[in-house]
Amino acid sequence: MGEAVVHGRGYQTAPSVHSVPRTQRVLIVEDERALLRALRINLRARGYEVTTAATGRAALTEATRRPPDAVLLDLGLPDVDGVGVIEELRTWSRAPVIVLSGRTGSGDKIGALDAGANDYVTKPFDIEELLARLRAALRRDEPVGATDISLGSWTIDLVAYTATRADGADGADPAAAETARLTPTEWRLLEILLRHPGQLVPAGRILTAVWGPGYERNTNYLRFHMAKLRRKLEDDPSRPRYLLTEPGMGYRYEPDGTSPGRRS
């Protein structure tokens, strides 16, 4: 298994030499079967979880169903242009997008980057260079303090998906720490807020990221799940200090918890 040196139409494999510390999901959007297969083999050999799509519409559906950590995207798709896919993704996803394209003109590169792509790799390419660019893009997107994020008395680990706090009694056994049980939807919502400490996250962006395109106006979903999160993680859910509402705009994670906010 391993490495494809991708030049022209020939794709070959060689032993892999890199691995990733945790499973990260990469969506490959490519309609050329041989290249798609080579990329899938190489990424899986290096420990990535891989999903694929051969059209732009299928890519958007897959990205909504299983949000990727990064996207490798061909511009020349059979249904919609890759730039359109980037623009749609950027309405709800921060995942880095690396364009893979045979188009070498500066206008194509500028258009893709202006639409929200993070990098542009021209075909044919060497797989090692592509993988290095992928690793760099994922490092840049990794939130500061991805593990052991504090939310009041809770410690949130977004890698292990655990929320724990010590018993608080003198001499208490650390193994007796309290654990908050969050649903997958609650984890997704919490993760979005924790990745943007101190920043307002618009309600529409959260709705699209958690439930997908078309749910931008379902603010009742947010109110319901934010109320559940606060009951589990705030000391006083009626006067939240960390998971705050910005009325009419969205929500915000306040790391310092200095000012009790509104709960709605």
Side-chain angles (χ1 to χ4, degrees):
M1 296 279 239
E3 169 170 31
V5 179
V6 183
H7 292 296
R9 296 283 177 174
Y11 310 115
Q12 59 188 26
T13 59
S16 62
V17 293
H18 291 288
S19 60
V20 291
R22 66 181 180 87
T23 302
Q24 294 170 304
R25 182 181 298 135
V26 179
L27 171 60
I28 305 172
V29 188
E30 173 61 64
D31 65 333
E32 186 180 337
R33 291 185 178 181
L35 177 54
L36 178 63
R37 180 176 180 275
L39 290 171
R40 184 173 60 234
I41 289 173
N42 279 275
L43 266 65
R44 285 180 175 170
R46 287 160 174 81
Y48 293 99
E49 178 184 347
V50 177
T51 58
T52 63
T55 67
R57 294 188 182 90
L60 292 170
T61 299
E62 180 62 32
T64 300
R65 189 168 65 92
R66 290 190 288 179
D69 294 297
V71 180
L72 302 181
L73 174 69
D74 180 26
L75 290 185
L77 299 171
D79 55 348
V80 296
D81 189 79
V83 170
V85 175
I86 298 170
E87 291 173 340
E88 179 64 26
L89 277 173
R90 281 295 171 256
T91 65
W92 59 274
S93 173
R94 294 176 60 252
V97 176
I98 300 177
V99 168
L100 311 177
S101 179
R103 303 175 188 176
T104 59
S106 60
D108 293 306
K109 296 179 181 179
I110 292 170
L113 294 170
D114 282 347
N118 299 76
D119 205 346
Y120 194 105
V121 178
T122 302
K123 299 177 181 177
F125 52 82
D126 183 89
I127 193 67
E128 282 299 340
E129 179 184 352
L130 174 62
L131 291 170
R133 289 173 182 255
L134 174 61
R135 292 192 297 274
L138 287 167
R139 284 196 301 271
R140 287 194 297 269
D141 192 58
E142 191 71 20
V144 176
T147 60
D148 297 338
I149 298 175
S150 294
L151 195 158
S153 57
W154 293 93
T155 298
I156 312 295
D157 188 331
L158 292 179
V159 174
Y161 288 100
T162 59
T164 58
R165 65 179 174 185
D167 181 277
D170 291 340
D173 182 358
E178 180 182 356
T179 300
R181 297 185 179 277
L182 306 183
T183 67
T185 297
E186 291 164 358
W187 271 117
R188 182 65 178 142
L189 175 56
L190 181 62
E191 181 175 7
I192 291 170
L193 295 175
L194 295 187
R195 285 178 182 269
H196 299 81
Q199 300 178 35
L200 168 68
V201 185
R205 183 182 301 174
I206 299 173
L207 284 161
T208 306
V210 176
W211 286 276
Y215 287 84
E216 296 87 348
R217 297 184 181 276
N218 292 69
T219 53
N220 58 310
Y221 286 23
L222 273 184
R223 288 195 295 270
F224 174 75
H225 288 282
M226 284 299 298
K228 291 178 63 179
L229 270 178
R230 286 168 175 154
R231 285 196 296 270
K232 294 177 179 181
L233 299 176
E234 292 274 4
D235 291 332
D236 182 357
S238 66
R239 290 170 58 82
R241 304 182 70 93
Y242 305 96
L243 303 175
L244 306 182
T245 299
E246 297 289 349
M249 295 185 289
Y251 294 87
R252 177 164 52 93
Y253 158 57
E254 179 52 64
D256 296 333
T258 53
S259 301
R262 296 181 55 175
R263 63 176 177 175
S264 60

